Amino acid sequence: MGVVEDVLPQYGAQETIGLKAIILLGAPGAGKGTLAEGIKARTKFIHISTGDMLRDAVKKGSAIGREAETFMKRGELVPDDVILRLVEERLDQGSPDDEYLFDGFPRTLEQAEMLSASLRRRGSRVMAVFSLEAPRELLISRLCGRRLCRQCGASYHVVNIPPRKAGICDVCGGELYQRADDQESTILNRLEVFTRQTESLIAYYEGMKVLIRVDAAQHRDLAVEAIVGHIRKLPSV
Ligand code: AMP
């Protein structure tokens, strides 16, 4: 199974759209980060991961990082106002014809509505939302085995994508670590939070006719291929 639904809206050839935005929507473990890397390598999209931005803010000890840290440790969502500040600041730094690939954002209906409003102000809109779908057991096993490089952020799995040398990054030789929120009890909470929040998001984007369901259990190269195929159909990408 590849893409199981294809409901891309049709845009008129004469229509001009500035900044473009697409979204990867998926449970923790669905492969948002990995697929984003594959998409980035083949398109001009700029990857915006609110999870990465928050981890960076926590590491730096910034005001946003201090506000976010306790929520993140528990696997809870960081409050909408904090996330929106983060994203707005990032979009303000960009240029009008940037193409954005959001990963892990929006997570709530409020965030989705604020994103729509923000893009509208910038003469744009969400053009496609890829809903990455995979069975719960697969998500749990991916998250429990996930290891990341402290230096370059490359992602591994102890069984599925092991590094050549245990604990060491193939790319840069950095040390691999397990994310604090990839412990089993936190994982279950994150999945629960995701399921609770996502129904309204799916309905919202289905209503906008931009939702595309993608089988995220298939090999990552196939999933990237399916997504890039859809992106190529968007106007002038
Ligand atoms: P992720 O790397 O996307 O799994 O995010 C890690 C954690 O950061 C989540 O469990 C949340 O605590 C927080 N987070 C990331 N993105 C968002 C968001 N859009 N809204 C609220 N919390 C977020």
Side-chain angles (χ1 to χ4, degrees), residues 138-200:
L138 180 65
L139 300 175
I140 294 173
S141 90
R142 279 183 180 169
L143 291 168
C144 285
R146 176 158 72 177
R147 298 293 181 274
L148 300 168
C149 174
R150 254 185 226 295
Q151 252 165 240
C152 73
S155 178
Y156 297 86
H157 186 279
V158 286
V159 179
N160 306 340
I161 320 168
R164 283 194 294 274
K165 194 167 167 209
I168 305 291
C169 177
D170 292 349
V171 182
C172 73
E175 181 200 357
L176 301 188
Y177 75 104
Q178 184 173 34
R179 260 171 57 173
D181 59 356
D182 278 348
Q183 317 290 337
E184 190 156 357
S185 57
T186 314
I187 288 171
L188 297 180
N189 192 32
R190 286 163 64 206
L191 289 175
E192 161 76 15
V193 168
F194 176 80
T195 312
R196 219 183 309 135
Q197 300 284 355
T198 311
E199 269 172 29
S200 55

Side-chain angles (χ1 to χ4, degrees), residues 217-235:
Q218 68 186 327
H219 190 279
R220 60 190 158 154
D221 293 349
L222 296 176
V224 168
E225 198 55 49
I227 294 171
V228 170
H230 279 279
I231 290 174
R232 300 259 180 253
K233 289 192 237 160
L234 296 173

Side-chain angles (χ1 to χ4, degrees), residues 11-205:
Y11 297 95
Q14 74 286 6
E15 191 170 3
T16 48
I17 294 175
L19 178 154
K20 289 194 180 71
I22 62 170
I23 295 170
L24 291 185
L25 181 66
K32 297 186 294 293
T34 308
L35 298 183
E37 285 305 314
I39 297 165
K40 241 170 48 182
R42 297 185 47 194
T43 63
K44 289 188 293 180
F45 279 91
I46 298 166
H47 181 202
I48 297 196
S49 155
T50 44
D52 286 350
M53 290 165 81
L54 288 168
R55 277 184 289 281
D56 203 42
V58 170
K59 211 156 92 186
K60 287 189 183 130
S62 70
I64 285 187
R66 287 195 300 277
E67 279 181 75
E69 192 170 14
T70 29
F71 296 97
M72 294 174 77
K73 274 197 180 137
R74 291 199 299 257
E76 298 289 342
L77 290 186
V78 172
D80 288 340
D81 62 308
V82 178
I83 299 294
L84 293 164
R85 244 160 57 215
L86 194 74
V87 173
E88 278 296 324
E89 272 173 26
R90 177 62 190 80
L91 292 182
D92 284 344
Q93 289 162 14
S95 68
D97 50 1
D98 278 346
E99 299 177 346
Y100 289 113
L101 165 63
F102 290 103
D103 151 7
F105 171 84
R107 291 274 233 280
T108 63
L109 189 56
E110 288 71 24
Q111 290 180 15
E113 284 168 347
M114 297 294 287
L115 176 63
S116 292
S118 174
L119 291 174
R120 212 176 301 125
R121 282 198 301 277
R122 295 162 205 270
S124 181
R125 63 178 142 174
V126 171
M127 303 186 78
V129 177
F130 297 97
S131 170
L132 310 178
E133 307 190 348
R136 182 182 156 83
E137 305 69 51
L138 180 65
L139 300 175
I140 294 173
S141 90
R142 279 183 180 169
L143 291 168
C144 285
R146 176 158 72 177
R147 298 293 181 274
L148 300 168
C149 174
R150 254 185 226 295
Q151 252 165 240
C152 73
S155 178
Y156 297 86
H157 186 279
V158 286
V159 179
N160 306 340
I161 320 168
R164 283 194 294 274
K165 194 167 167 209
I168 305 291
C169 177
D170 292 349
V171 182
C172 73
E175 181 200 357
L176 301 188
Y177 75 104
Q178 184 173 34
R179 260 171 57 173
D181 59 356
D182 278 348
Q183 317 290 337
E184 190 156 357
S185 57
T186 314
I187 288 171
L188 297 180
N189 192 32
R190 286 163 64 206
L191 289 175
E192 161 76 15
V193 168
F194 176 80
T195 312
R196 219 183 309 135
Q197 300 284 355
T198 311
E199 269 172 29
S200 55
L201 273 184
I202 299 269
Y204 179 73
Y205 287 122

